[in-house]
Amino acid sequence: MPRFEVSTSIAAPPQRVFELSLAVEVHTASMAGSAERAVGGVTSGRLGLGDTVTWQARHFGLPWRMTSRVSALDEPGHFVDEQVRGPFRRWWHAHHFEPDGRGGTLMRDVVESAAPLGPLGRVAEWVALDRYMRRLICARNQHLKTAAEAGDGTGPR
């Protein structure tokens, strides 16, 4: 099962980064390149423990839908979202927010996923899916970093 981690340094306090990470609108804006939008469950505002959201997007030129649930939440230290319905055999994403000792945040994403279709899915993971998902998480994190550091009203403070 593929697993990867991405660490991002953000010059904003952990509470702000945590809150922005749970804001549906911030997530949607970060995934504009794939036309991702919330179409079910919590479709605006901040997600909380037990909340579900159904995302619709285009990836690899195809429409996708995935419903995820916030399955763990310990503010402002971490939360976990997991797929409850969608294209993956498994999708688990832990978000960690640690003070960096300088007033900022070290944000660490841990992602575990598994494609469907058995051996064919494992080939897809190896050929493209793993790198593609890492790039998506990095793009999301860059957007989140920009919003948190700007303090421009793009999310809660």
Side-chain angles (χ1 to χ4, degrees), residues 31-100:
M31 295 286 112
S34 59
E36 189 158 330
R37 59 192 175 102
V39 297
V42 177
T43 59
S44 65
R46 180 180 157 175
L47 295 164
L49 182 61
D51 285 346
T52 61
V53 59
T54 299
W55 303 104
Q56 182 174 298
R58 290 192 80 73
H59 297 285
F60 302 108
L62 301 170
W64 297 86
R65 270 188 185 237
M66 182 171 97
T67 301
S68 60
R69 172 177 286 119
V70 177
S71 60
L73 187 144
D74 182 19
E75 186 170 347
H78 84 278
F79 70 92
V80 174
D81 64 86
E82 299 183 66
Q83 173 189 282
V84 293
R85 188 172 36 264
F88 294 94
R89 192 165 38 92
R90 173 174 164 77
W91 175 264
W92 181 90
H93 183 180
H95 309 252
H96 299 274
F97 309 89
E98 301 164 12
D100 67 4

Side-chain angles (χ1 to χ4, degrees), residues 20-38 43-45 55-57 59 136-148 152-155:
L20 286 170
S21 293
L22 286 165
V24 172
E25 293 82 0
V26 173
H27 178 82
T28 301
S30 74
M31 295 286 112
S34 59
E36 189 158 330
R37 59 192 175 102
T43 59
S44 65
W55 303 104
Q56 182 174 298
H59 297 285
L136 278 180
I137 296 297
C138 287
R140 174 192 170 277
N141 288 0
Q142 186 56 52
H143 180 87
L144 187 61
K145 176 181 174 72
T146 300
D152 60 2
T154 58

